[in-house]
Amino acid sequence: MLISSIGLSLSGRLHKMTTFIWSVLASLLAKDRYHVKPKLTWKQKLLRLFLVLGFVGALILLWKAYNSDLLRVQEVKVRGGSHLTESYVIQRSGILGANILTLNTSEVEARLRDIPYVDTAKVSRGLSNMVYIDIVERQPAIVWVSGGSKFLVDSSGKVLEEVSATPRMPLLEANTKGDVHPGSTLDPKLVASTLTLFSGLPEDIRASVEKVKYTPGVGYEIISSAGWTAVVGDDDRLEAKVAILSKILTLGEVSFIDVSTPATPYYRLRKS
């Protein structure tokens, strides 16, 4: 009887405990499943609406400002040009009317350096809608004659432009292979040698020189309007050859000179 009563007591307690645990779990599940967020007041709803409208309005204003004339390049100032006109540089830059905030100055500088006359270019933003372009131009050093056409070439061998008239500067007629056009690069050694030949002559003799001819395998030849021709040969010891040539020209009416071998020069006087 005692054992039976104890068993009933334990059974009752277990039932109550089990019921309690299930009731707690059920309440927790019901709370998570059927949890309802508190409703927003009309003031909170209105505030959210204003925030959304303000964000959209700000985006619209930014878009309009980005595409407005206020941020467009309206004026370009070119500095450092003498051979190139300002209008030509601006046209080649392609920046007039571009957005000043998104302007890629490195790309513009690279585009300007494609112009044969441009050695260096620097693009910078100024106040308001102003952009500055600072360029350093290449300077013509000689006239290069090829295939009947004349080109201005700088000291590095860069072909700057084709010309019809012949400027007062050293002229080289080169019988070399390859296409010659503005933007191409020729052998700078030929340019340097031509300048050495001209600069080494006395001024009065230099003024009478019509041109320097260069033929691969033969070398240089100087042709003068005074009636003499000088064979110089290759570019070895050019300064010494020019010095000997200058001395020989003081001996009288010379018609032909060969200083290709400086140790044994040869010359022929003009027949009277």
Side-chain angles (χ1 to χ4, degrees):
M1 193 73 178
L2 178 60
I3 295 173
S4 176
S5 62
I6 292 174
L8 289 172
S9 177
L10 290 172
S11 177
R13 289 181 180 180
L14 287 173
H15 177 71
K16 288 181 179 179
M17 187 177 294
T18 302
T19 304
F20 175 75
I21 292 173
W22 277 112
S23 64
V24 171
L25 290 174
S27 64
L28 290 174
L29 291 172
K31 183 177 181 181
D32 290 338
R33 186 173 181 180
Y34 299 106
H35 177 70
V36 179
K37 295 181 181 179
K39 291 184 178 181
L40 298 175
T41 64
W42 66 271
K43 290 183 178 181
Q44 292 173 324
K45 292 180 179 179
L46 190 61
L47 178 61
R48 289 192 176 186
L49 178 61
F50 283 152
L51 289 174
V52 172
L53 292 176
F55 179 73
V56 174
L59 289 178
I60 294 174
L61 289 175
L62 287 174
W63 178 255
K64 287 186 175 181
Y66 177 82
N67 290 281
S68 70
D69 291 338
L70 297 175
L71 297 178
R72 299 290 176 186
V73 178
Q74 297 181 2
E75 188 175 0
V76 181
K77 183 67 176 177
V78 179
R79 299 180 294 197
S82 58
H83 298 285
L84 301 173
T85 64
E86 185 176 54
S87 59
Y88 178 75
V89 175
I90 293 174
Q91 182 267 325
R92 287 293 298 266
S93 72
I95 63 176
L96 201 59
N99 189 285
I100 198 168
L101 295 180
T102 59
L103 181 65
N104 191 324
T105 56
S106 297
E107 288 185 358
V108 178
E109 290 166 359
R111 195 155 55 238
L112 290 172
R113 286 194 298 271
D114 287 338
I115 302 173
Y117 263 109
V118 176
D119 187 19
T120 63
K122 177 67 177 177
V123 178
S124 56
R125 298 176 178 85
L127 297 176
S128 185
N129 305 77
M130 171 77 77
V131 171
Y132 293 97
I133 298 177
D134 293 281
I135 60 174
V136 175
E137 290 182 335
R138 301 175 185 272
Q139 300 302 316
I142 69 169
V143 178
W144 186 295
V145 180
S146 177
S149 300
K150 301 173 185 176
F151 302 89
L152 297 183
V153 179
D154 79 339
S155 58
S156 70
K158 190 78 168 182
V159 181
L160 305 178
E161 66 172 315
E162 184 176 355
V163 293
S164 54
T166 304
R168 293 182 61 84
M169 62 177 60
L171 188 149
L172 171 65
E173 184 179 294
N175 298 318
T176 55
K177 296 180 180 180
D179 182 31
V180 180
H181 61 272
S184 61
T185 302
L186 306 174
D187 189 349
K189 194 173 183 180
L190 296 182
V191 178
S193 296
T194 301
L195 292 174
T196 299
L197 291 174
F198 270 85
S199 62
L201 292 171
E203 187 175 352
D204 57 332
I205 298 176
R206 188 189 317 149
S208 70
V209 174
E210 289 184 354
K211 61 184 176 181
V212 172
K213 291 183 65 177
Y214 174 78
T215 304
V218 177
Y220 299 91
E221 183 181 358
I222 302 176
I223 299 168
S224 170
S225 60
W228 56 266
T229 299
V231 175
V232 180
D234 58 25
D235 52 11
D236 184 41
R237 300 182 63 192
L238 277 183
E239 292 83 357
K241 293 175 181 178
V242 173
I244 296 171
L245 171 62
S246 300
K247 285 185 178 181
I248 293 175
L249 287 172
T250 64
L251 299 178
E253 298 293 324
V254 181
S255 62
F256 178 78
I257 307 169
D258 188 341
V259 292
S260 57
T261 305
T264 56
Y266 169 82
Y267 66 93
R268 186 169 61 242
L269 294 176
R270 190 176 304 149
K271 295 179 180 180
S272 57

